[in-house]
Amino acid sequence: DTEVTQTPKHLVMGMTNKKSLKCEQHMGHRAMYWYKQKAKKPPELMFVYSYEKLSINESVPSRFSPECPNSSLLNLHLHALQPEDSALYLCASSQVLVVDTQYFGPGTRLTVL
Amino acid sequence: AQSVTQLDSQVPVFEEAPVELRCNYSSSVSVYLFWYVQYPNQGLQLLLKYLSGSTLVKSINGFEAEFNKSQTSFHLRKPSVHISDTAEYFCAVSVSQGAQKLVFGQGTRLTINP
């Protein structure tokens, strides 16, 4: 099974809302990633978790709060977002100690009103 | 710092014609290269990768890419394209920092015309 699942597929939220994006994988990968992708642009790395610990934060605003409750799950908590945060949010996973494929989920399409 | 340049933002070709999508990288350390494909409204799927060994790598659906260290390139080719190949193609280089950091090129939109 090489599947990464993400929920919800679509999310519309106001600037004062609090919402969460969820990601799950069962490949035994110990690295998990959040990317943000704007239309017609490549994915931009936001966060990397390695062995359930945050290892990379690409200077992401604090209104995005990641969480890795266990080795299979990754959450992204959203609060007080801006309309420019509207994008496709992609989750990915990979092995840690060797360079190899990152497996991507289908993404959550987020619209901030 | 590692970077990737995809020289063509859009490539239109006719069905059954050959295609080449160009990718150049810069890296001062070991190089690990990937091509990912993104179909409309979907996530990214791995097309092929170069980690080590043979410099010519192939995918199951007829694409191939050749790692050329002297020209710092990893161009993607297919001898005969199909309508279903219409997608966005991203070249990426991996920076290993424990967990990996993928640096993507800007992408090439491949459009197949009948």
Side-chain angles (χ1 to χ4, degrees):
Chain A
D1 181 9
T2 57
E3 188 178 24
V4 176
T5 58
Q6 290 188 244
T7 55
K9 293 187 69 173
H10 301 276
L11 179 62
V12 179
M13 59 186 292
M15 290 190 284
T16 58
N17 292 158
K18 287 185 179 181
K19 297 287 185 183
S20 296
L21 309 185
K22 297 184 185 301
C23 172
E24 188 168 6
Q25 58 89 14
H26 295 286
M27 293 178 276
H29 291 161
R30 301 304 294 276
M32 296 186 76
Y33 310 78
W34 280 116
Y35 289 86
K36 174 182 178 180
Q37 186 180 25
K38 300 285 276 185
K40 301 187 188 303
K41 295 290 187 183
E44 297 175 14
L45 184 65
M46 300 174 72
F47 303 103
V48 181
Y49 273 83
S50 178
Y51 296 107
E52 295 87 71
K53 288 185 169 40
L54 185 64
S55 64
I56 298 177
N57 177 340
E58 293 287 273
S59 303
V60 178
S62 60
R63 57 185 184 268
F64 295 91
S65 176
E67 178 195 22
C68 191
N70 60 53
S71 60
S72 299
L73 293 174
L74 185 67
N75 298 321
L76 186 63
H77 303 298
L78 314 172
H79 174 55
L81 295 192
Q82 304 297 309
E84 59 265 29
D85 296 321
S86 298
L88 182 67
Y89 288 84
L90 295 164
C91 174
S93 71
S94 76
Q95 299 187 65
V96 175
L97 298 178
V98 293
V99 177
D100 208 336
T101 305
Q102 286 190 23
Y103 292 88
F104 284 81
T108 294
R109 177 75 61 186
L110 174 67
T111 302
V112 182
L113 301 176
Chain B
Q2 273 134 322
S3 66
V4 174
T5 302
Q6 291 183 245
L7 297 165
D8 306 298
S9 60
Q10 297 185 63
V11 174
V13 295
F14 287 106
E15 195 172 17
E16 299 184 6
V19 70
E20 178 180 81
L21 307 184
R22 295 181 291 170
C23 172
N24 288 90
Y25 67 91
S26 66
S27 173
S28 57
V29 295
S30 298
V31 178
Y32 309 99
L33 294 159
F34 301 81
W35 275 101
Y36 281 87
V37 59
Q38 186 173 32
Y39 298 103
N41 300 311
Q42 294 189 27
L44 278 71
Q45 301 173 31
L46 179 72
L47 196 55
L48 43 77
K49 60 188 176 186
Y50 171 76
L51 302 180
S52 64
S54 173
T55 57
L56 182 65
V57 291
K58 299 185 179 185
S59 72
I60 59 173
N61 57 354
F63 283 94
E64 64 179 38
E66 184 157 22
F67 170 60
N68 188 318
K69 189 174 182 179
S70 62
Q71 297 187 6
T72 61
S73 68
F74 190 55
H75 301 331
L76 181 69
R77 300 183 181 94
K78 188 171 185 180
S80 177
V81 296
H82 303 283
I83 293 285
S84 59
D85 294 323
T86 295
E88 190 83 22
Y89 291 79
F90 292 101
C91 183
V93 62
S94 178
V95 178
S96 184
Q97 300 175 332
Q100 301 166 53
K101 180 176 176 178
L102 276 179
V103 176
F104 288 92
Q106 289 299 304
T108 297
R109 175 73 181 169
L110 177 62
T111 303
I112 312 300
N113 298 306

